[in-house]
Every structure is written in structure tokens, then in C-alpha cells.
Amino acid sequence: MLNREVSLALNYALNKGFQIHPDALKILEGVQIEDLQHVIKEVVRQKTRQKLFLINQDDLETFLGIKEDATLKSEFRILSDPSSKITSAEGVSGYNMLFASRLAKLKKIISNRPEARLLKSISSVIATKSEDDMYVSGLVTERSSERNVVRVTVEDPTGVLEGIVFDKDLQQVSEVLLIDQYVMLKISASKKGGYIIKDVILPDIPDKASNRSETDTYAVFLSDLHIGSKYFMEKEFEDFVAWLSSPDPIARKTRFVLIGGDLVDGVGIYPNQDKELDFPTIESQLSKTYDLLSKIPKNIHVVIMPGNHDPGRRALPQPAIPKKYNSDFWETQNFHMVGNPSMVSLNGVRVLMFHGQSIDDIVKVTPGLSYDKPVNVMKHLLKARHMSPVYGSQTPIAPESEDMMVIDEVPDVFHVGHVHVIDLDLYRGVLMINSGTWQNQTPFQSSVGITPTPGLAIILNLKTFKVYSKDFSVR
Ligand code: D5M
Ligand code: FE
Ligand code: ZN
């Protein structure tokens, strides 16, 4: 059904003896209502002068200045994806391999630091009993604060060492260490026995200039659609998808849409979820999702990564949403199904996508971090060079032989979701984006005090790194 304004514009042209190509009609539908009459009259006037009585897509695009830019680059590549590497090692030996891999990978990362040359194994440090400064590294196994001191215990394959932090500034760094996170410690043996921690060195990321696209191509960052939930904002999301086909100059240059997990609300994810669902099965939720996403123009790469509400497996790393639930996603040319976490390249800009499940564990135990500032948690992950360090809390972690949650390569953009709150910041040249949600506040979220920022799309110019947000929420 054409809306009234488009019908009026169409009739105006038909009455002047014009034919209108169906593709041109699509463009007219995207023009702002108040501009329609002006646009059609001008195009008719120009074409009458040329004595050409067919109005096609090209005429309108030229007039509106939105002609598809053939020089605009849109190169998509998947740089890393856990899906094919998932082996599902099992049990205790699996976890031993996982932690050995974590230690080896992070030790390699920290080896760029000058102090790393002085690293000794924990057993050899214990054996020497020297009062000189020494360096050890390992995974944090305990951390406690009491009576003005902070204690930290680390473990490497040779042994376990507990140290005490007296320095106030260093206590602040130590207090936010996460269990199972990798650290390097500068220590010395105290005269009374035990060890004093004199420095805490994190793997961290180096300061660097980011890779940029050669052309003004745009990418949109989304997550947490929760399709199937009663609280999914269908109308707003449809408006967003329609905007991608509109004459808006940024929409015309958008070539990437990244979805960072929780596409669907899932089934049996939380108690009594069935009462909050519009679509009661995974299959119906995914088919609704496909209907909505397949309206995204075909010249846009759509990257689809799972979250904790999507099917596949719950434990990290998660494989891409399996084909057996809905093969359409896998058979659509411009759709790219990736696991969680994945690194993709958009015109050379490297984007690390991670749903963000571990944020729950980290917020719970870390002073100063909260759900309303998710980028601060993301910065913590970048410093730790690990996306989900804490084992045995809320976030399930699979016993893989390789720890794929280590941040091996430093991205240009770190895209996370899960928290349902839009947030942005820059850390050492890395643009951190938390992409919010398309689900209204749920009763659960309101009971735990989470105020989401739904219905906003974050849009990045991949050349200038200028960030825009577009609000589709109806207030
Ligand atoms: O997560 C939606 C939001 O709810 C996000 O901010 C995390 C938060 N969340 C999820 N589970 C919990 C628990 N168990 N306690 C506190 N906060 C939580 P989503 O993954 O979309 O359900
Ligand atoms: Fe979510
Ligand atoms: Zn989530």
C-alpha cells in the first residue's frame, strides 16, 4: 500500500504523461513527506525539458544527490572466529589445557615489556630467598583487602606465591584485579618472611593509531534485539531497517551492520520467560528475525554473532548460531554468521565483537565498576587482554584446549553489548562501543535497577572515526 503523499506525487507525474519505474517508487517512499511534492515537480520539470517521459531510479537518485557511490569501498573479512576451532575438550584435563593456553598466550603478550626479561618462575623465586627485586607472573588465584593491606596470590605452573601490597596507589590497582586474570608482579622478600608487592603490571594494550577506511563508508553497531520478547521494539526496529534504504546521506554510505548478540530472546533462558514471549519457540523467533533483517539492502554486509539468549551453546566461546535452527541466515549472501567472540575487518578497520557476558561477573566483584558505565568494564578487559577471565562465576566457560578469549590482536574498535546501555569511549586509540538494545526495560531489569537506552543505532564513519547516534525510539 502506498501512503497518501506518495500516491499524490505519483498521480501528479502520471497526469503529466509520465511513467514511473517501480524502483523509483521505492525511492519516493523514502523521501520526507514534506519534500515529496517539491521533488516530483522538479523531476517532472527537468524530464519534460529533456522530452523523456519515464522517471527511473537514476533520475531520482541524481536529483536527491544520493546516487550510489561506485568508489565507496565495502571490503569485509573475518579475521578470527572460534566456530571452527571449538573442540570441546572435557573435564579437568580440558581446563588444565585452557589455563595453560591462557598463561602461555599472555606471557607472550607481556614479553614485549622490558621487565619481562627479568621474569622468574615462582618456584625459583621461593628457592632463592633473595631480598632483591624480582619479577614473577601468573594467574591471580586470590585477592583480599583487610586492615589497610591488600593480599594477592598468583600461580604459575611451578608454584603459588602470596604477596602483600602496602602502597596506597598500588592497592587501588590490586583491588580491581580479577580472579584468573594474568599479571606480572615486582616483588621482594620481606625480612619477616613473605613477599611485598612493589608493582603490578598488566599485559595492557600499546598506544597506537587505528587503521582507517580509505572511503567514507559507515558501519552501524547493534546488539540485544531480543526478538520474540514482548518487550522487543518491533516498530522502532522496522523504522531503523527502513532508514537504511532511505535517501539519508549516511544511510546511502552504510555498508556494514554488526549485531553483537542476543538477536532473539530465546526459550527457557530465565524462569517464567514464557510469560514474556510473543514467539514461543526458537524457530519462530529466528524466522521473525530473518524476516526483519532480510529487508536490509543487499549491498550491506550484515554480521551476526550470538549472545547468551541465542541458540548454539551457552559456554564461551560460542559458535555461530547453528544452521539447523534456520538455514536462511546461512544461505543469504550478505549475511555473515560468526561466533562469539570474533574479529572482523571492515575496509581494513579491525573490529573485535564480543557479546559481553563476563561483565556480570566483573561488575559484581570490582569496586568502582557498574552496569551504567559498561565502557569502564570494557577498558578493564582490554588491560587484562582477556574477555572473560573469571572462571566459576556466572559466565560459563568451556574447557577448550586454546583460550580463545585472550585478546591476541589489538582491535581498532571493541564492540560489546549485553548491558543494554549505550556507551562510548576511547582507550589508547581503541574505540569502545557498547551498542545498547532494541528491547524496552523488562520487569527483571527494573527490579535490579538497570535502565536501558533502547532504540538507538550507533553509526561510525570508518574513515574519520566520527560517531553518530540515531534515535528511533518513539517517546
Ligand atoms: O542481559 C540484560 C541485562 O541484564 C544486562 O544489563 C545484564 C543484566 N543481567 C543479566 N543477568 C543478570 C543477573 N543474573 N543479575 C544481574 N543482572 C543481570 P541479557 O543477557 O539481555 O538478559
Ligand atoms: Fe541482551
Ligand atoms: Zn546478553
Side-chain angles (χ1 to χ4, degrees), residues 218-393:
Y218 289 81
V220 181
F221 295 83
L222 312 174
S223 63
D224 299 273
L225 315 185
H226 289 267
I227 295 167
S229 161
K230 274 187 187 168
Y231 304 97
F232 167 54
M233 296 162 65
E234 179 166 357
K235 163 83 176 65
E236 290 81 351
F237 191 71
E238 276 179 339
D239 287 350
F240 159 70
V241 173
W243 172 80
L244 291 171
S245 310
S246 77
D248 181 288
I250 289 181
R252 299 288 21 91
K253 291 183 178 174
T254 296
R255 293 292 180 276
F256 305 100
V257 169
L258 274 54
I259 311 180
D262 285 358
L263 277 85
V264 295
D265 205 50
V267 175
I269 306 288
Y270 59 87
N272 296 315
Q273 186 183 18
D274 50 330
K275 298 184 182 65
E276 298 182 356
L277 291 179
D278 271 342
F279 290 83
T281 64
I282 276 291
E283 287 76 13
S284 60
Q285 293 177 4
L286 282 172
S287 108
K288 176 72 187 172
T289 306
Y290 186 78
D291 286 348
L292 291 163
L293 295 181
S294 58
K295 297 196 172 66
I296 294 177
K298 297 296 168 227
N299 63 356
I300 295 181
H301 295 280
V302 182
V303 187
I304 297 175
M305 187 189 79
N308 52 313
H309 284 253
D310 298 307
R313 80 165 179 189
R314 278 299 273 279
L316 292 173
Q318 296 181 284
I321 296 173
K323 194 172 178 175
K324 67 176 179 193
Y325 295 101
N326 186 316
S327 55
D328 291 342
F329 285 97
W330 288 87
E331 283 152 12
T332 301
Q333 265 236 312
N334 60 324
F335 283 14
H336 308 279
M337 306 297 282
V338 299
N340 172 28
S342 280
M343 178 96 92
V344 297
S345 164
L346 319 176
N347 290 354
V349 174
R350 301 154 74 94
V351 182
L352 178 60
M353 300 174 73
F354 168 49
H355 180 62
Q357 285 94 321
S358 59
I359 294 173
D360 295 335
D361 302 334
I362 297 170
V363 162
K364 228 186 283 174
V365 297
T366 313
L369 293 181
S370 63
Y371 276 117
D372 52 350
K373 278 306 282 176
V375 289
N376 290 345
V377 188
M378 291 162 64
K379 196 199 294 187
H380 221 65
L381 299 177
L382 289 174
K383 287 185 185 185
R385 293 292 285 266
H386 200 283
M387 286 174 271
S388 192
V390 187
Y391 174 71
S393 189

